[in-house]
C-alpha cells in the first residue's frame, strides 16, 4: 500500500513542478487475435505475432526442423493487439500527454478509445501522437490493427507498369531479411516490436540533442551542443550541461539553442587495439526558476574521422583516418541477431560486440538488409572501441521513387540519424547494400524485360533516393566532421577490374564463382567490405533445432537449415579440393569449419599483406539470425566456430604471414601499431615429429603501421625436404606462426598422443608427442575455451583458459578424420 501512495505522490509532484514523466504501457495486460476471430490470447509487448503464437502454443517452434514452411500463412493475415489501462485525475492534469511508439511493424492503424489516432507504415520510425484530447480519467482502450505487409507490398507493386526485383519486399519499409535470404528463413513479422509509453509533460521537453567539435587539440576540446526544446508558451529557461549553466529566452513551439562546452587536456577516443575508447559523460538539463523540467544523458567520444580517397598510380585510395592516423580496418558484417527482433536483449548486443573485440576487430558493418540496431549495440561499440559502418536499410534490389515513398524514407533517415549521430563509433553512413552493383551487373534489365523508359525511370528513382534525398538530409542533420556518406556498397561489382582499384569491394569469386581460395591472394581491392565462405555449426547447435534422425544431408529439416540453393554442394566441392572428406557426420561438421577458417585466413592475410594498398577487410558475416549453416563466424547461440578463433589470430595487431610467391616463400610482418617493434625473427623448418631440419635468425625492426616482406626463402633451398611432413615455424618476439607447404589433404600426419593435464578447474595444459593439426576441444557442459582449433606443435606445452569447470574434455584433431 505504501508503494502505491508513493507512486501517486510522485505523479502529483510531476504535475506540480512540470517535470517530464513516463508511463510504460508495454507492461499492461495485452491481448492479440487474428482479425475477425473473437478468441483473444495473451500477448507480450514488445513482441511479434510469431512469438506470441508460439508462447500460446498455437504454432510449433518456428526454428525447429522444417516448421518454417508450415508457418507462411501468418504473413498473409491481419492481427489485432489491444489493452486497457487506467489513467488517474492527476495524470490527466498534465498539459501534454504524448503516446509514443518506439517501433510498429509495419502497417498499423492505432485506435485510442475508439478513434483512429495514427496510420503507421514504417518499421524503422518512431511514432508520436499528441494524445491528451483522446484520453479520459479511468479506463482507456488502446488497440493496434496490423495489416499484412506482404499484401500491402503486393498492392503497391501492382501500381507500377513494370516489376521491380524482389517483388513485394521493396515496397515496404520493413526489415528486408525477413522475406528470406541465403542465410535466413522467411518470417515476415508484425507487432509492436519496441516499447510503447505515455509521456507526460507540461511547460517544456527536450526533443533532440546533437553536438559538433568546434576545436580539438592536445590542450582543449570545444564542443557546441544544439538542443531542440519544445515549449508550450514563451518562457525563460536555464540550460545546464554538466556543471555549466546558461539562460535562454524561448518562443512558443520548437527552439534550437546552442551552447559551447570546453574540456581541458582532452583524452581522445581510439578504436580497439590502438588506444582507449575514452568517453565523457554529459547530462543536458533544462530548468525554470530552479525547477527541473527535463534532461537527457549522452556519452561523447572526442575523435576525428576521415575517409581518404586520393588518386594514385593504381586508381584511388579508400581508407579511414582516425585522429589523423591511417587505420587498417579489421572486422565483419553484422546481421540482425534474431528473426524475431524483440527477443534480442541488450545483453545479446553487448555479447556480439564483446566477441568482436575479443577477435581483435575494430570495425563492424551494420548491413542494409536488416534493421538499425538498438541503442545498446552502439553504446557497446562506443565503450569497446568498435567503429561502425552504418548502412541505411536497403539491400540487393531497386526501390520505388514516388513522392510518398521518398518522404517516408526521409523521415526514417531523420529519426535514425538523430538517434545515432552522437555515437563516436559511427564512422560512415552508406546508402544501400549492392543495389548499384545489382543494377549494373546482375542482368535485371534483361530478366524483367525493361523498356528503355522503364530503365530510365528505375535508375532516376534510385538517384532520387541515394544520390539526392539521403545525402541532402544528412547535410541538414550532421556537422561536417560527422558527415561521411557513401551511396552504395560496393561502389563497383566484383566482376569488373575497377572494383579492385578504387572504392570498396565485395569479392565473391570464391563461393559464388567457385574460384579456389588462392585467388584471394590476387584479387585484393582497396577496402574489402564483403567476402566469405560457409561453415557448418557444431553438432550441439544442430541438435537444438532438429531430431537426431534428421542429422543427415537428405533430411528435409537439415536441408531447410541451409538457405543457399547449392550451399552443401559448394562446401563439399571445396572440401574435396583441400581436405580428405570425412564419412562420419560429426567429423564432417568439424572439417567444414576448418575449411571455412582456412579459406578466410588466406583472404584476410592477403588483404593485410597488401597494406597500404588495401586498408580494410570486413568479412561476411559475424553472426546469424537463427541456427543455420552460413558464412558466420559465430553461430546463432554465440558459439565460436573455428573461423572466429582464426579471425582472432589473423587480426592480431602484429601478424606474421608467409606467402607462396612464384619461386619463393616470402615472410611478411604486418604491424598495425603506431610504434615500431624490434626483435629477433627466428625461422625453423621442423618435421612433424619435432626434428629441426633448417634454421635461420635475423635481428630487425618492424616499422609502425606497415606491411613488409622481411625474408625470402627460395623454393630450391627446400627441395631436399619432404614438404608433406614438414612445416615452417616463424617467431618474432612473443608472436608465432606456422606455415604448411601443402593442402591439408596432402599432409602425411601421424597419430598424435595428446595429453590434457588439469592445472586448476579453469586452466588446462595440453601437449602432444607429434604435430596435432587443428586440435578441437569440447565439453558436454558447453565450456568456452580461450583458444581452440589450433595446431599443437610436437612437445609444445600449451596453457588454455576455460570459461568454467569442464565435466569431461573431448579432444579431436585432423588426423582423426583422415582414416
Amino acid at each position: 500500500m505504501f508503494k502505491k501512495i508513493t507512486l501517486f505522490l510522485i505523479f502529483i509532484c510531476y504535475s506540480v513542478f512540470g517535470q517530464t514523466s513516463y508511463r510504460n504501457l508495454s507492461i499492461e495486460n495485452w491481448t492479440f487475435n487474428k482479425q475477425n476471430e473473437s478468441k483473444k490470447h495473451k500477448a507480450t509487448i514488445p513482441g511479434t505475432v510469431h512469438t506470441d503464437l508460439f508462447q500460446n502454443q498455437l504454432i510449433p517452434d518456428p526454428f525447429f526442423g522444417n516448421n518454417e514452411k508450415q508457418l507462411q500463412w501468418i504473413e498473409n493475415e491481419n492481427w489485432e493487439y489491444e489493452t486497457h489501462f487506467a489513467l488517474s485525475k492527476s495524470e490527466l492534469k498534465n498539459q501534454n500527454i504524448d503516446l509514443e511508439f518506439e517501433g510498429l511493424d509495419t502497417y498499423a492503424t492505432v485506435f485510442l478509445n475508439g478513434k483512429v489516432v495514427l496510420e503507421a507504415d514504417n518499421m524503422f520510425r518512431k511514432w508520436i501522437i499528441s494524445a491528451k484530447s483522446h484520453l479520459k480519467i479511468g479506463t482507456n482502450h488502446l488497440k493496434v490493427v496490423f495489416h499484412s505487409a506482404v499484401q500491402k507490398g503486393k498492392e503497391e507493386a501492382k501500381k507500377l507498369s513494370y516489376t521491380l526485383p524482389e517483388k513485394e519486399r521493396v515496397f515496404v519499409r520493413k526489415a528486408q531479411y525477413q522475406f528470406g535470404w541465403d542465410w535466413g528463413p522467411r518470417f515476415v513479422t508484425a507487432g509492436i516490436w519496441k516499447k510503447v509509453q505515455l509521456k507526460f509533460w507540461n511547460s517544456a521537453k527536450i526533443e533532440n540533442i546533437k553536438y559538433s567539435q568546434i576545436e580539438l587539440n592536445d590542450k582543449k576540446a570545444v564542443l557546441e551542443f544544439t538542443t531542440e526544446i519544445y515549449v508550450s508558451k514563451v518562457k525563460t529557461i536555464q540550460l545546464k550541461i554538466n556543471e555549466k549553466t546558461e539562460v535562454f529566452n524561448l518562443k512558443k513551439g520548437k527552439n534550437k539553442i546552442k551552447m559551447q562546452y570546453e574540456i581541458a587536456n582532452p583524452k581522445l577516443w581510439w578504436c580497439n587495439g590502438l588506444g582507449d575508447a575514452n568517453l565523457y559523460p554529459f547530462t543536458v538539463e533544462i530548468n525554470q526558476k530552479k525547477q527541473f523540467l527535463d534532461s537527457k544523458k549522452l556519452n561523447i567520444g572526442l575523435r576525428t574521422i576521415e575517409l581518404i580517397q586520393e588518386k594514385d598510380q593504381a586508381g584511388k585510395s579508400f581508407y579511414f583516418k582516425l585522429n589523423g592516423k591511417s587505420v587498417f580496418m579489421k572486422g565483419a558484417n553484422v546481421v540482425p541477431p534474431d528473426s524475431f527482433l524483440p527477443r534480442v536483449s541488450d545483453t545479446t548486443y553487448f555479447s556480439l560486440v564483446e566477441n568482436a573485440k575479443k577477435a581483435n576487430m575494430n570495425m563492424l558493418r551494420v548491413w542494409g538488409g536488416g534493421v538499425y540496431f538498438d541503442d545498446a549495440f552502439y553504446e557497446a561499440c562506443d565503450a569497446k572501441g568498435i567503429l561502425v559502418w552504418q548502412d541505411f536499410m536497403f539491400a540487393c534490389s531497386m526501390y520505388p521513387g514516388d513522392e510518398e515513398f521518398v518522404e517516408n524514407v526521409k523521415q526514417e533517415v531523420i529519426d535514425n540519424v538523430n538517434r545515432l549521430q552522437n555515437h563516436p563509433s559511427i564512422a560512415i553512413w552508406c546508402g544501400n547494400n549492392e543495389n548499384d552493383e545489382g543494377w549494373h551487373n546482375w542482368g535485371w534489365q534483361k530478366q524483367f524485360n525493361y523498356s528503355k523508359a522503364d530503365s530510365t525511370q528505375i535508375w532516376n528513382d534510385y538517384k532520387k533516393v541515394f544520390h539526392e534525398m539521403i545525402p541532402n538530409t544528412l547535410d541538414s542533420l550532421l556537422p561536417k566532421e560527422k558527415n561521411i556518406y557513401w551511396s552504395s556498397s560496393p561502389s563497383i561489382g566484383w566482376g569488373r577490374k575497377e572494383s579492385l582499384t578504387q572504392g570498396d569491394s565485395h569479392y565473391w569469386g570464391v563461393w559464388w564463382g567457385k574460384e579456389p581460395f588462392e585467388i584471394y591472394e590476387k584479387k585484393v581491392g582497396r577496402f574489402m567490405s564483403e567476402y566469405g565462405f560457409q561453415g557448418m555449426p557444431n553438432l550441439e547447435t544442430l541438435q537444438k533445432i532438429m531430431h537426431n534422425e534428421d542429422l543427415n544431408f537428405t533430411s528435409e529439416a537439415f536441408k531447410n537449415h541451409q538457405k543457399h540453393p547449392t550451399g552443401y554442394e559448394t562446401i563439399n566441392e571445396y572440401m574435396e579440393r583441400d581436405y580428405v572428406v570425412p564419412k562420419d557426420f560429426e567429423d564432417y561438421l568439424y572439417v567444414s569449419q576448418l575449411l571455412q577458417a582456412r579459406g578466410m585466413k588466406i583472404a584476410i592475410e592477403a588483404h593485410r599483406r597488401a597494406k597500404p594498398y588495401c586498408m580494410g577487410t570486413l568479412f561476411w558475416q559475424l553472426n546469424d539470425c537463427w541456427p543455420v549453416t552460413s558464412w558466420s563466424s559465430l553461430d546463432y547461440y554465440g558459439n565460436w566456430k573455428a573461423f572466429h578463433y582464426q579471425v582472432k589470430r589473423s587480426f592480431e595487431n602484429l601478424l606474421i604471414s608467409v606467402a607462396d610467391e612464384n619461386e619463393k616463400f616470402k615472410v611478411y610482418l604486418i604491424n598495425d601499431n603506431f610504434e615500431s617493434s624490434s626483435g629477433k625473427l627466428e625461422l625453423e623448418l621442423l618435421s612433424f615429429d619435432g626434428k629441426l631440419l633448417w634454421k635461420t635468425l635475423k635481428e630487425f625492426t618492424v616499422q609502425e603501421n606497415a606491411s613488409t616482406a622481411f625474408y625470402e626463402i627460395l623454393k630450391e633451398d627446400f627441395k631436399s625436404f619432404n614438404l608433406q611432413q614438414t612445416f615452417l615455424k616463424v617467431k618474432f618476439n612473443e608472436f608465432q606462426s606456422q606455415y604448411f607447404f601443402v593442402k591439408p589433404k596432402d599432409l602425411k600426419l601421424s597419430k598424435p598422443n595428446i595429453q590434457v593435464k588439469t592445472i586448476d578447474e579453469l586452466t588446462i595444459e595440453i601437449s602432444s608427442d607429434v604435430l596435432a593439426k587443428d586440435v578441437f576441444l569440447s565439453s558436454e557442459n558447453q565450456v568456452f575455451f580461450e583458444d581452440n582449433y589450433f595446431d599443437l606443435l610436437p612437445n609444445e606445452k600449451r596453457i588454455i583458459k576455460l570459461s568454467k569447470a569442464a565435466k569431461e574434455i573431448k579432444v579431436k584433431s585432423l588426423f582423426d578424420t583422415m582414416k
Side-chain angles (χ1 to χ4, degrees), residues 788-800:
N788 215 337
Y789 302 93
F790 51 82
D791 297 332
L792 187 60
L793 305 191
N795 305 311
E796 172 191 16
K797 289 182 178 176
R798 187 181 281 240
I799 302 293
I800 306 283

Side-chain angles (χ1 to χ4, degrees), residues 79-105:
W79 299 91
E80 298 180 347
Y81 281 74
E82 59 188 311
T83 190
H84 294 84
F85 60 94
L87 211 59
S88 68
K89 188 176 179 181
S90 62
E91 287 174 306
L92 204 60
K93 271 186 179 175
N94 284 278
Q95 292 171 29
N96 302 283
I97 307 174
D98 294 338
L99 175 60
E100 297 185 346
F101 289 95
E102 297 280 343
L104 290 167
D105 176 14

